[in-house]
Amino acid sequence: MSNATLRVMLCDDSQAMRTSLARLLESDPIIRIIAQVGDGEAALRVLETMPPAQQPDVILLDLEMPVMDGMTALPLLLARRPRPVVIVASALTQRGASQAMAALRAGAADYLPKPSTAMGGLRDSAFQAELLAKVKGWARIGRQPDLPLTRPGAVAGLQPRAIAIGASTGGPQALAQFVKRLPRQLHLPVLITQHMPAGFTAMLAQHLNGLGGPSCSEARDGEALRPGHILIAPGNHHMILRRADFGAVHVQLSADPPENFCRPAVDPMLRSLATIYGRGLLAIILTGMGQDGLLGCQAVARAGGTVLAQDEAALWSGACPAPWPGPAWRSFSPPPRPWPNLFWPPCGKPHEPGNLPVSRGHGEAALGWRAHGQSGLYAA
C-alpha cells in the first residue's frame, strides 16, 4: 500500500451500510477500506492486531450499535496510540444531533449526519461529497506532525465592531477552539454561519454556550444583535442582517434558494454585514468546502473590512482564499498547519484601540491563516 493511500475503518452494525460506505469511499482511488466491523468491541479487537504503521487514519464510527455502542467505544479508541481520527455518524434527527455534539465534546474530530431515505439515502450527492471531503481532510490532518508553539503575530490597529465567522467541514471543532478563547464579556456581536442541517445548529449553539466564552444561541427571525452574544444561523435558513430605521441591527431568516449548494450559506451573511459595518467588520473563515464565502469576503474587503482566512494549503476541497490575490494579502504563519489561538484584548471594552494577537500552537483543526483587507494586517 502506498504511503499516499488513506486508510479507513468502518464501524457500523449494518452490513448493508458498511458495504455502501465502502463502495462510496473506495470510488476515490486514494482511499482504502482496511477493516469493516459491526460494533465498538470488534473495532478494538481488530486494532489490537494491527501494527502501528498499518492503523487506520480515520475511523468512521456509528453511534448506535449493539454490544458496544459508539459513545462507549469513542474514549477507548481515542486512548490508543497512535491516536486515530474518529468521525461519528448519526441519524439526521434531534436525538442524532444531540449524540453528535456529545461525541464532539468527548473528542471526536467531526460528525457525519446520515441522510434519510426521503433525501435519497446514501445516493444523495451532497452526502457523498461531504463524506469524501471529511474523510480525506481529516486523514491528511491526522498525518501532519504537531508543531511547537511560536511567538504570536499581531493584527495591528484592528478595532472591529462586529465579527462574522463562516465554517464548513471541521467547523464544530474549530469553532469550539475559537469560542472558548473569547472573553465572556465581549463588547461586540458575533455571527456564525456553519454548514449544518436543521436541528444540528441548535445543538451546536448549546455546545458553544457551555464553553465558558460569550453566550451563544441559534438565531431567531427579528432578533436584535447585542454585544457579547453569539448568534448561529439555523439549519436550512440563510441568516441576513438588516439595520432598522432607529439604528438597531436585526436578524432576517431567509428560505431563499441555497447559494453554493448551501443553506445556510456564508455569502448572504457577509454581504449584508458588509453594508452595515463596513470597515468595522472582521470576517473569519475557519474552514471551507467549495466556494461559499468567497464572494462575501470580497464584499467585506471592498467595504473596507478585514478578512482572516485559512491558508489555501490547509483547505480540504478547493475553498475560499485561493482566488483572492492582491497587495493587501499577508501570510500569517506559514507553514499553515497549527491552530491559531485567537485572543481579543481590544474587544474587551467598546472602542478601545489595540492589537489582536494571533498565536500559533497545537490544536484539533490544524489550520493556517491569511489576512485580507484595509486595516494594515501583518505577521510578526
Side-chain angles (χ1 to χ4, degrees), residues 140-203:
R140 287 166 174 155
I141 291 293
R143 289 188 176 189
Q144 294 177 349
D146 286 334
L147 298 182
L149 187 67
T150 63
R151 184 171 66 87
V155 182
L158 185 56
Q159 301 175 46
R161 294 187 292 125
I163 299 172
I165 302 172
S168 185
T169 304
Q173 286 285 28
L175 285 168
Q177 294 291 322
F178 182 93
V179 167
K180 71 183 182 183
R181 287 166 171 79
L182 296 176
R184 181 177 288 275
Q185 301 302 322
L186 188 68
H187 287 273
L188 47 74
V190 179
L191 296 306
I192 295 174
T193 291
Q194 160 74 52
H195 295 165
M196 250 184 181
F200 279 67
T201 46
M203 293 298 170

Coordinates of all heavy atoms in Angstrom, one line a residue, residues 140-203:
R140 N -5.7 13.5 6.2 CA -4.5 14.3 5.9 C -4.0 15.1 7.1 O -2.8 15.2 7.5 CB -4.7 15.1 4.7 CG -4.7 14.3 3.4 CD -5.2 15.1 2.3 NE -5.1 14.3 1.0 CZ -5.9 14.5 0.0 NH1 -6.9 15.4 0.0 NH2 -5.7 13.8 -1.1
I141 N -5.0 15.7 7.8 CA -4.7 16.5 9.0 C -4.1 15.6 10.1 O -3.1 16.0 10.7 CB -6.0 17.2 9.6 CG1 -6.5 18.3 8.6 CG2 -5.7 17.7 11.0 CD1 -5.5 19.4 8.6
G142 N -4.6 14.4 10.2 CA -4.1 13.5 11.2 C -2.6 13.0 11.0 O -1.9 12.7 11.9
R143 N -2.2 13.1 9.7 CA -0.8 12.7 9.4 C 0.2 13.9 9.6 O 1.4 13.6 9.5 CB -0.8 12.2 7.9 CG -1.4 10.9 7.7 CD -1.2 10.4 6.3 NE -1.7 9.1 6.1 CZ -1.5 8.3 5.1 NH1 -0.7 8.7 4.1 NH2 -2.1 7.1 5.0
Q144 N -0.3 15.1 9.8 CA 0.6 16.2 10.0 C 1.1 16.2 11.4 O 0.4 16.1 12.3 CB -0.1 17.5 9.7 CG -0.6 17.7 8.2 CD -1.3 19.0 8.0 OE1 -1.7 19.6 9.0 NE2 -1.5 19.3 6.8
P145 N 2.4 16.4 11.5 CA 3.0 16.5 12.9 C 2.6 17.7 13.6 O 2.4 18.8 13.0 CB 4.5 16.4 12.6 CG 4.7 17.0 11.3 CD 3.5 16.6 10.5
D146 N 2.5 17.7 14.9 CA 2.3 18.9 15.7 C 3.6 19.7 15.7 O 4.7 19.2 15.7 CB 2.0 18.5 17.2 CG 0.7 17.9 17.4 OD1 -0.2 18.3 16.6 OD2 0.5 17.2 18.4
L147 N 3.4 21.0 15.6 CA 4.5 22.0 15.6 C 4.5 22.7 17.0 O 3.5 22.9 17.6 CB 4.3 23.0 14.5 CG 4.4 22.4 13.1 CD1 4.3 23.5 12.1 CD2 5.6 21.6 12.9
P148 N 5.7 23.1 17.5 CA 5.8 23.8 18.7 C 5.1 25.2 18.7 O 5.0 25.8 17.6 CB 7.3 23.9 19.0 CG 7.9 23.8 17.6 CD 7.0 22.9 16.8
L149 N 4.7 25.7 19.8 CA 4.2 27.0 19.9 C 5.2 28.0 19.5 O 6.4 27.9 19.9 CB 3.7 27.3 21.4 CG 3.0 28.6 21.6 CD1 1.6 28.5 21.0 CD2 2.8 28.8 23.1
T150 N 4.8 29.0 18.7 CA 5.7 30.0 18.3 C 5.3 31.4 18.8 O 4.2 31.5 19.3 CB 5.9 30.0 16.8 OG1 4.6 30.4 16.2 CG2 6.3 28.7 16.2
R151 N 6.2 32.4 18.6 CA 5.8 33.7 19.1 C 4.6 34.3 18.4 O 4.5 34.1 17.2 CB 7.1 34.6 18.8 CG 6.9 36.0 19.4 CD 8.2 36.8 19.3 NE 8.6 37.0 17.9 CZ 8.2 38.1 17.2 NH1 7.4 38.9 17.7 NH2 8.6 38.2 16.0
P152 N 3.7 34.9 19.1 CA 2.5 35.4 18.4 C 2.8 36.4 17.4 O 3.7 37.2 17.5 CB 1.6 35.9 19.6 CG 2.2 35.3 20.8 CD 3.7 35.1 20.5
G153 N 2.0 36.5 16.4 CA 1.9 37.6 15.5 C 0.9 38.6 16.0 O 0.4 38.5 17.1
A154 N 0.6 39.6 15.2 CA -0.4 40.6 15.7 C -1.1 41.2 14.5 O -0.6 41.2 13.3 CB 0.4 41.7 16.4
V155 N -2.3 41.6 14.7 CA -3.1 42.3 13.7 C -3.2 43.7 14.2 O -3.8 44.1 15.2 CB -4.5 41.7 13.6 CG1 -5.3 42.4 12.6 CG2 -4.4 40.2 13.3
A156 N -2.5 44.6 13.5 CA -2.3 46.0 14.0 C -3.5 46.9 13.8 O -4.0 46.9 12.7 CB -1.0 46.6 13.4
G157 N -3.9 47.6 14.8 CA -4.8 48.7 14.6 C -6.2 48.2 14.3 O -7.1 49.0 13.9
L158 N -6.6 46.9 14.5 CA -7.9 46.4 14.2 C -8.8 46.7 15.3 O -8.6 46.3 16.5 CB -7.8 44.9 13.9 CG -9.0 44.2 13.4 CD1 -9.6 44.9 12.2 CD2 -8.7 42.8 13.2
Q159 N -9.9 47.4 15.0 CA -11.0 47.7 16.0 C -12.3 47.3 15.5 O -13.1 48.2 15.1 CB -10.9 49.2 16.4 CG -9.6 49.7 16.9 CD -9.5 51.2 17.1 OE1 -10.5 51.8 17.6 NE2 -8.5 51.8 16.6
P160 N -12.6 46.0 15.5 CA -13.9 45.6 14.9 C -15.1 46.0 15.7 O -15.0 46.1 16.9 CB -13.8 44.1 14.8 CG -12.8 43.8 15.9 CD -11.9 44.9 16.0
R161 N -16.2 46.2 15.0 CA -17.5 46.5 15.7 C -18.4 45.2 15.6 O -19.4 45.2 16.3 CB -18.2 47.7 15.1 CG -17.4 49.0 15.4 CD -18.2 50.2 14.9 NE -18.4 50.2 13.4 CZ -19.5 50.3 12.8 NH1 -20.7 50.3 13.5 NH2 -19.6 50.3 11.5
A162 N -18.0 44.3 14.8 CA -18.8 43.0 14.7 C -17.8 42.0 14.1 O -16.9 42.3 13.3 CB -20.0 43.2 13.9
I163 N -18.1 40.7 14.5 CA -17.3 39.6 13.9 C -18.2 38.6 13.3 O -19.3 38.3 13.8 CB -16.5 38.9 15.1 CG1 -15.5 39.8 15.8 CG2 -15.8 37.6 14.5 CD1 -14.9 39.2 17.0
A164 N -17.9 38.2 12.0 CA -18.7 37.2 11.3 C -17.8 36.0 11.0 O -16.7 36.2 10.5 CB -19.2 37.8 10.0
I165 N -18.3 34.8 11.2 CA -17.5 33.6 11.1 C -18.2 32.7 10.1 O -19.4 32.4 10.3 CB -17.2 32.9 12.4 CG1 -16.5 33.9 13.4 CG2 -16.4 31.7 12.3 CD1 -16.5 33.4 14.8
G166 N -17.5 32.1 9.2 CA -18.0 31.1 8.3 C -17.2 29.8 8.5 O -16.0 29.8 8.6
A167 N -17.9 28.7 8.5 CA -17.2 27.4 8.7 C -18.0 26.3 8.0 O -19.2 26.4 7.8 CB -17.1 27.1 10.2
S168 N -17.3 25.2 7.6 CA -17.9 24.1 7.0 C -17.3 22.8 7.6 O -17.4 22.6 8.8 CB -17.7 24.2 5.5 OG -18.4 23.1 4.8
T169 N -16.7 22.0 6.7 CA -16.1 20.8 7.2 C -15.1 21.0 8.3 O -14.2 21.9 8.1 CB -15.4 20.1 6.0 OG1 -16.3 19.9 4.9 CG2 -14.8 18.7 6.4
G170 N -15.2 20.3 9.4 CA -14.3 20.5 10.5 C -14.7 21.7 11.4 O -14.0 22.0 12.4
G171 N -15.8 22.4 11.0 CA -16.1 23.6 11.7 C -16.5 23.5 13.2 O -16.1 24.3 14.0
P172 N -17.3 22.5 13.6 CA -17.6 22.4 15.0 C -16.5 22.4 15.9 O -16.4 23.1 17.0 CB -18.5 21.1 15.1 CG -19.1 21.0 13.7 CD -18.0 21.5 12.8
Q173 N -15.4 21.6 15.6 CA -14.2 21.6 16.5 C -13.5 22.9 16.4 O -13.0 23.5 17.4 CB -13.3 20.4 16.1 CG -13.8 19.1 16.5 CD -13.6 18.8 18.0 OE1 -13.6 19.7 18.8 NE2 -13.5 17.6 18.4
A174 N -13.4 23.5 15.2 CA -12.7 24.7 15.1 C -13.4 25.9 15.8 O -12.8 26.7 16.5 CB -12.5 25.1 13.6
L175 N -14.7 25.9 15.7 CA -15.5 26.9 16.4 C -15.3 26.8 17.9 O -15.2 27.8 18.7 CB -17.0 26.8 16.0 CG -17.3 27.3 14.7 CD1 -18.7 26.9 14.3 CD2 -17.2 28.8 14.6
A176 N -15.3 25.5 18.4 CA -15.2 25.3 19.9 C -13.8 25.9 20.3 O -13.7 26.5 21.4 CB -15.3 23.8 20.2
Q177 N -12.8 25.6 19.6 CA -11.4 26.1 20.0 C -11.4 27.6 19.9 O -10.8 28.3 20.8 CB -10.4 25.5 19.0 CG -10.2 24.0 19.1 CD -9.5 23.6 20.4 OE1 -8.7 24.3 20.9 NE2 -10.0 22.5 21.0
F178 N -12.1 28.2 19.0 CA -12.2 29.7 18.8 C -13.0 30.3 20.0 O -12.5 31.2 20.6 CB -12.7 30.0 17.5 CG -12.8 31.5 17.2 CD1 -11.8 32.1 16.5 CD2 -13.9 32.2 17.5 CE1 -11.8 33.4 16.2 CE2 -14.0 33.6 17.3 CZ -12.9 34.2 16.6
V179 N -14.2 29.8 20.1 CA -15.1 30.5 21.1 C -14.7 30.4 22.5 O -14.8 31.4 23.2 CB -16.5 29.9 20.9 CG1 -17.5 30.3 22.0 CG2 -17.1 30.2 19.5
K180 N -14.1 29.3 22.9 CA -13.7 29.2 24.3 C -12.5 30.2 24.7 O -12.2 30.4 25.8 CB -13.3 27.8 24.7 CG -12.1 27.2 24.1 CD -11.9 25.8 24.5 CE -10.6 25.1 24.0 NZ -10.6 23.7 24.4
R181 N -11.9 30.7 23.6 CA -10.8 31.7 23.9 C -11.3 33.2 23.9 O -10.5 34.1 24.2 CB -9.7 31.5 22.9 CG -8.9 30.3 23.1 CD -8.0 29.9 21.9 NE -7.1 28.8 22.3 CZ -7.4 27.5 22.4 NH1 -8.7 27.1 22.1 NH2 -6.5 26.6 22.7
L182 N -12.6 33.4 23.5 CA -13.1 34.7 23.6 C -13.5 35.0 25.0 O -14.0 34.2 25.8 CB -14.4 34.8 22.7 CG -14.2 34.6 21.2 CD1 -15.5 34.6 20.5 CD2 -13.3 35.6 20.6
P183 N -13.3 36.3 25.4 CA -13.7 36.7 26.8 C -15.2 36.7 26.9 O -16.0 37.0 26.0 CB -13.2 38.1 26.9 CG -13.1 38.6 25.5 CD -12.7 37.4 24.7
R184 N -15.7 36.3 28.1 CA -17.2 36.2 28.3 C -17.8 37.6 28.1 O -18.9 37.7 27.6 CB -17.4 35.7 29.7 CG -18.9 35.5 30.1 CD -19.1 34.9 31.4 NE -18.8 33.5 31.4 CZ -19.7 32.6 31.1 NH1 -20.9 32.9 30.7 NH2 -19.3 31.3 31.1
Q185 N -17.1 38.6 28.5 CA -17.7 40.0 28.4 C -17.2 40.6 27.1 O -16.5 41.6 27.2 CB -17.3 40.8 29.7 CG -17.7 40.2 31.0 CD -19.2 40.1 31.0 OE1 -20.0 40.9 30.5 NE2 -19.7 39.0 31.6
L186 N -17.5 40.0 26.0 CA -17.1 40.6 24.7 C -18.0 41.7 24.4 O -19.3 41.5 24.3 CB -17.2 39.4 23.7 CG -16.6 39.7 22.3 CD1 -15.1 39.9 22.3 CD2 -17.0 38.6 21.3
H187 N -17.5 42.9 24.0 CA -18.3 44.0 23.8 C -18.6 44.3 22.3 O -18.5 45.4 21.8 CB -17.7 45.3 24.4 CG -17.8 45.3 25.9 ND1 -18.9 45.7 26.6 CD2 -17.0 44.8 26.9 CE1 -18.7 45.6 27.9 NE2 -17.6 45.0 28.1
L188 N -18.9 43.2 21.6 CA -19.4 43.3 20.2 C -20.1 42.0 19.9 O -19.9 41.0 20.5 CB -18.2 43.6 19.3 CG -16.9 42.7 19.3 CD1 -17.1 41.4 18.8 CD2 -15.8 43.4 18.6
P189 N -21.0 42.1 18.9 CA -21.7 40.9 18.5 C -20.9 39.9 17.6 O -20.0 40.4 16.9 CB -22.9 41.4 17.7 CG -22.4 42.7 17.1 CD -21.4 43.3 18.1
V190 N -21.2 38.6 17.6 CA -20.6 37.6 16.8 C -21.6 36.9 16.1 O -22.6 36.4 16.7 CB -19.7 36.7 17.6 CG1 -19.0 35.6 16.7 CG2 -18.6 37.5 18.4
L191 N -21.5 36.7 14.7 CA -22.4 36.0 13.9 C -21.7 34.8 13.3 O -20.6 35.0 12.8 CB -23.0 36.9 12.8 CG -23.8 38.1 13.1 CD1 -25.0 37.7 14.0 CD2 -23.1 39.2 13.8
I192 N -22.3 33.6 13.3 CA -21.7 32.4 12.8 C -22.6 31.7 11.8 O -23.8 31.5 12.1 CB -21.3 31.4 13.9 CG1 -20.3 32.0 14.8 CG2 -20.9 30.1 13.3 CD1 -20.0 31.1 16.1
T193 N -22.1 31.4 10.6 CA -22.8 30.5 9.7 C -21.9 29.3 9.5 O -20.8 29.3 9.1 CB -23.0 31.2 8.3 OG1 -24.0 32.2 8.4 CG2 -23.5 30.1 7.3
Q194 N -22.5 28.2 10.0 CA -21.8 26.8 9.9 C -22.7 26.0 9.0 O -23.9 25.9 9.2 CB -21.7 26.2 11.3 CG -21.5 24.7 11.3 CD -20.1 24.3 10.9 OE1 -19.1 24.8 11.4 NE2 -20.0 23.4 10.0
H195 N -22.1 25.3 8.0 CA -22.9 24.4 7.1 C -23.3 23.2 8.0 O -22.5 22.4 8.3 CB -22.0 23.9 6.0 CG -21.6 25.0 5.0 ND1 -20.6 24.9 4.1 CD2 -22.0 26.3 4.9 CE1 -20.4 26.0 3.4 NE2 -21.3 26.9 3.9
M196 N -24.6 23.2 8.3 CA -25.2 22.2 9.1 C -26.7 22.0 8.9 O -27.3 23.1 8.6 CB -25.0 22.5 10.6 CG -24.0 21.7 11.4 SD -24.0 22.2 13.1 CE -22.7 21.0 13.7
P197 N -27.2 20.9 9.0 CA -28.7 20.7 8.8 C -29.5 21.2 10.0 O -28.9 21.5 11.0 CB -28.8 19.2 8.6 CG -27.7 18.6 9.3 CD -26.5 19.6 9.2
A198 N -30.8 21.4 9.7 CA -31.7 21.8 10.8 C -31.6 20.8 12.0 O -31.5 19.6 11.8 CB -33.1 21.9 10.3
G199 N -31.7 21.4 13.2 CA -31.6 20.6 14.4 C -30.2 20.5 14.9 O -29.9 20.7 16.1
F200 N -29.2 20.3 14.0 CA -27.8 20.3 14.5 C -27.3 21.6 14.9 O -26.5 21.7 15.8 CB -26.9 19.7 13.3 CG -27.0 18.2 13.2 CD1 -28.1 17.6 12.8 CD2 -25.8 17.5 13.5 CE1 -28.2 16.2 12.7 CE2 -25.9 16.1 13.4 CZ -27.0 15.4 13.0
T201 N -27.8 22.7 14.3 CA -27.3 24.0 14.6 C -27.7 24.4 16.0 O -27.0 25.1 16.8 CB -27.8 25.1 13.6 OG1 -29.2 24.9 13.3 CG2 -27.0 25.0 12.3
A202 N -28.9 24.0 16.4 CA -29.4 24.3 17.8 C -28.5 23.6 18.8 O -28.1 24.2 19.9 CB -30.8 23.9 18.0
M203 N -28.1 22.4 18.5 CA -27.2 21.6 19.4 C -25.8 22.2 19.4 O -25.2 22.3 20.5 CB -27.2 20.1 19.0 CG -28.5 19.4 19.2 SD -28.9 19.4 20.9 CE -30.6 18.7 20.8

